[in-house]
Amino acid sequence: MVAVPETMAAVRLMGHGGLDKLVYSRDVPVPSVAPGEVLVRVSACGMNNTDVWVREGAYGTEDDPSAVSTWRRQGNTLTFPRIQGTDTVGHIVAVGDGVDKARIGERVMVDFSIYNRDDDSLADIDYMGHGRDGGYAEYMALPAENAHVIATDMGDIELATFCCAYLTGERMLERARLAAGEIVLVTGASGGVGSGIIQLARARGAVPIAVTAAGKEQAMLDIGAEVVVTRGNDNFVETVNRAANGKPIDVVADLVGGAMFNDLLKILRSEGRYITAGAIAGPVVQLDLRTMYLKQLELHGSSQGSRADFRRLIGYIEQKKIRPLVGGVYPLSEFHRAQTDFMQKNFVGKLVVVPDNEISQT
C-alpha cells in the first residue's frame, strides 16, 4: 500500500484573467476518493489551448462573442479555485468503495471526459479540469472507468501528449467521415490537435495536407503530411490547389478560423465537409451562405470525443499507428513559463507538465 500524504502541490486557477490567476501551491489538500473512484499519483499532464481559453474566459456567449465566459454552452460547471489539466497519466495509489483493490499500482491514461450520459452523445459533455479538478497536481481523483491501462512501452510523458488533442482530432475525422484515399486539409497543423490529425488521417488511409507557419515544413512532412502549405501566401486558394495537384479537397479540418475561413470553403470540393474544433485566429468569421448552399457543403462543429472515439485512440496507440510528439517538458512549479511558451507556439506537438517530485522518475 502506497502512503498518500494529506497535502500536495498543485496549480490552481483562481479566476478568469492573466497568468497571475494561476497559483502554484504546495499545501493543497489531496482529493478524497469517493465510491467508484480511484486516486492517481500524477506523473505527467499535457497542456492544451482549452486551458488558456478557460483561464481567459474567452469563449463568449451566443448573444455576445466578446463576453467573458467559460467553455460550456449547456450551463457553467466551472468554479474557483479549479485545478486544470486534462491529459493525465499516472499510477493508481488508492481506490474507493466498489473498486477492486488489485487496481492499485496500475499505470493509467485518463479519459478526461465527463459524459453525463450513458450513450455516446456529447450533448451534455464536460471535462476534468473544468467540471471537476484535473491533473496539474501531484494527485487526482476520478471515476475508475475513466482510468485506462494501455499496453504500450511508451513513457508517461509520451502518453501525456495524446489524450485531449488526439481525441479531439479523431472525433473531427469521425464526424467528417474521412475515408481512405480522401484528401484532408489541416490548418494549425503544427499544434497538438493538428499534428495529431495528420497522423490519424494516415491511420485511416487518407492523405493530409498541412497548413502551418514557415519553418515548420519539415516537421510536418516527418509526421506524415503529404505536402505542406505555409500561411501568408498571397493567393492561399491557388497555393492549396497547386499543392493538391488539382485533386479535390474532400475535408477541411480547421483549428484556426479567422480570416482564412471563407478561403477554406472555396477550397472544398462540391459536397465537401468542413469541420472545426478551434478558432485560434479568431472565432467570429464571415460566411457567404451562397458558397455553402451552391456547393452543397456540410459544416460541422466538434469538441472532445466519445467513449468509442477514445477506444479507437487506445487502439491506435497500442498498434503504434500514431506516435507522440513532445514539444517540451516543464516542472509543475514552472507552470507560468510553460504556459507562456505554449502561447507563443514556437514548438511542434505538445508541451507536458510534470510534478517536481516526478521529474527524476519520469
Side-chain angles (χ1 to χ4, degrees):
M1 182 69 67
V2 177
V4 177
E6 294 184 357
T7 60
M8 65 179 181
V11 172
R12 294 188 294 177
L13 179 65
M14 309 307 290
H16 295 304
L19 287 170
D20 62 297
K21 296 296 184 180
L22 294 165
V23 178
Y24 177 74
S25 302
R26 296 180 181 272
D27 58 354
V28 178
V30 170
S32 58
V33 187
E37 293 188 347
V38 298
L39 182 69
V40 171
R41 187 183 75 242
V42 177
S43 53
C45 189
M47 187 170 286
N48 295 283
N49 282 316
T50 306
D51 300 328
V52 178
W53 282 46
V54 167
R55 168 174 60 77
E56 294 175 343
Y59 283 97
T61 66
E62 293 177 349
D63 295 323
D64 182 3
S66 63
V68 174
S69 177
T70 188
W71 178 82
R72 269 172 54 99
R73 284 288 194 260
Q74 307 95 321
N76 182 34
T77 59
L78 177 67
T79 57
F80 302 112
R82 172 64 73 223
I83 300 172
Q84 295 181 286
T86 60
D87 295 10
T88 309
V89 176
H91 292 78
I92 295 176
V93 294
V95 299
D97 291 343
V99 181
D100 190 345
K101 291 183 178 179
R103 295 207 63 182
I104 294 175
E106 289 180 349
R107 184 179 74 144
V108 295
M109 186 170 94
V110 172
D111 176 359
F112 62 94
S113 295
I114 303 171
Y115 294 101
N116 292 318
R117 297 173 61 124
D118 293 330
D119 58 18
D120 263 346
S121 169
L122 304 184
D124 193 32
I125 199 164
D126 200 350
Y127 71 87
M128 301 173 198
H130 183 276
R132 63 181 289 166
D133 285 340
Y136 292 144
E138 292 178 335
Y139 293 90
M140 175 184 176
L142 63 139
E145 64 184 10
N146 289 69
H148 295 264
V149 176
I150 299 182
T152 178
D153 57 2
M154 291 183 192
D156 295 355
I157 288 173
E158 293 175 312
L159 277 180
T161 65
F162 287 116
C163 194
C164 183
Y166 285 66
L167 182 65
T168 298
E170 177 63 13
R171 181 64 176 177
M172 290 174 72
L173 299 186
E174 184 72 5
R175 288 208 66 186
R177 307 185 307 281
L178 182 69
E182 289 192 316
I183 297 177
V184 54
L185 184 75
V186 185
T187 69
S190 65
V193 180
S195 57
I197 289 174
I198 291 173
Q199 296 188 63
L200 292 164
R202 286 296 189 188
R204 289 171 173 254
V207 180
I209 295 177
V211 181
T212 191
K216 298 180 179 179
E217 296 92 338
Q218 190 58 51
M220 298 296 92
L221 295 171
D222 290 345
I223 64 174
E226 184 76 6
V227 67
V228 180
V229 175
T230 56
R231 297 196 306 267
N233 290 288
D234 291 337
N235 193 326
F236 180 70
V237 175
E238 183 180 322
T239 302
V240 171
N241 288 334
R242 284 200 306 269
N245 289 322
K247 295 179 181 178
I249 303 298
D250 302 286
V251 173
V252 166
D254 184 21
L255 302 162
V256 175
M260 189 185 295
F261 177 76
N262 265 323
D263 281 346
L264 295 174
L265 299 192
K266 294 176 187 177
I267 287 165
L268 274 173
R269 67 167 172 84
S270 293
E271 297 185 337
R273 289 96 72 195
Y274 168 95
I275 187 159
T276 181
I280 58 175
V284 180
V285 299
Q286 288 189 324
L287 167 63
D288 188 334
L289 288 171
R290 294 166 296 187
T291 300
M292 178 179 163
Y293 69 72
L294 291 174
K295 293 179 69 176
Q296 315 262 359
L297 300 180
E298 295 180 27
L299 273 64
H300 296 273
S302 185
S303 183
Q304 289 182 226
S306 67
R307 294 178 182 89
D309 298 324
F310 192 86
R311 288 192 294 270
R312 282 196 304 279
L313 178 60
I314 290 175
Y316 289 144
I317 294 170
E318 293 181 337
Q319 297 160 31
K320 297 187 176 181
K321 290 187 175 181
I322 55 177
R323 62 185 178 91
L325 297 170
V326 181
V329 180
Y330 300 78
L332 185 66
S333 60
E334 297 183 24
F335 194 87
H336 282 196
R337 180 170 69 88
Q339 194 157 96
T340 298
D341 289 353
F342 178 87
M343 292 186 292
Q344 291 174 348
K345 302 297 182 186
N346 295 320
F347 61 92
V348 174
K350 290 292 291 290
L351 301 187
V352 179
V353 175
V354 176
D356 292 49
N357 61 5
E358 296 281 338
I359 283 284
S360 60
Q361 304 176 42
T362 305

